Amino acid sequence: MNFPSADVAPAPAAPAAAGTSLDPAPRQAGIVFVHGMRTSSAIWERQVEHVHQAGHDAVAVDLPAHGALHRERFSMPRAFEVLDEAAASFGAGTPVVVVGLSLGGYTSLAWAAHQAAAPAGSPLAGVVAAGCSSDPKGKPVALFRDVAHLAVTGTTAVRRGLRDASQAWRAALTGGRSRAGGLEVAALLGDGVPRPGWDIVTDALTHLAGRSSVASTRALQVPVWFVNGARDRMRLEESRHVAAAERGALVVVPDAGHDVNSDAPDAFNRVLSRALHDFARV
């Protein structure tokens, strides 16, 4: 569903708990932010500041092959270790919310499903998954991976042709206005900002290709909020993802593209506040 004013399709209400005055106050969740492909933890600066002001502890991580971990190769097991360490940093028993964009959203859903299958460490309170409601299992991701491989191994002429094709894809997917960052295709472009090379894209898409974000969502017993920019053409399977969630919600932010937290930071922060309130319900 689309919500022109960034309204929410709310998750079903949880049964009211029979609380007493002796019940301890709920602990504020710690929040882990996970960036998109070929960017870094820096994209979350506005969101980290926002949740800190609301009293939450928070950390924005760098995935392997990005930011502080740029010397490493991307793999999903190593990404899981990064999220494990971030969640543990809040202290034993602190509930954790994970917020991911694009590659970070797919990684967050996969990590949360892994946690659900082998519960250990900090309890998961909920997931905010942005720009990741096209299931990567299947042809689209495999195609992008193959394009990236050609860019690494091909001639200069081949790479120039791929760059031109990617620019056309970027305009088609984002309406021509979204910043490169979380969007896999758009983030491959050289726009003067130093980013990891195409080999990073090949590694990341290889690790995504055999995974299903719908299956990961279905494995969770916590609320999942999907947040997309209205101009993001990667919203192909929103309804499947929301239907797969035990407590699912969808927010479409008007006039934002794939990099919804950067394109509309104030709107994204309002949505994030509402999601955190929902996750705190008993």
Side-chain angles (χ1 to χ4, degrees), residues 47-135:
Q47 284 70 49
V48 170
E49 180 182 5
H50 176 72
V51 298
H52 278 166
Q53 290 175 351
H56 293 272
D57 197 0
V59 59
V61 301
D62 285 317
L63 290 172
H66 300 79
L69 303 182
H70 68 277
R71 297 185 183 278
E72 300 186 18
R73 293 191 65 171
F74 181 89
S75 73
M76 198 62 75
R78 177 64 180 124
F80 284 4
E81 291 177 358
V82 170
L83 269 63
D84 286 341
E85 293 166 6
S89 72
F90 301 129
T94 302
V96 173
V97 170
V98 61
V99 181
L101 171 71
S102 195
L103 172 63
Y106 291 121
T107 300
S108 297
L109 288 169
W111 176 78
H114 177 75
Q115 293 287 99
S122 301
L124 185 67
V127 178
V128 177
C132 60
S133 50
S134 293
D135 198 331

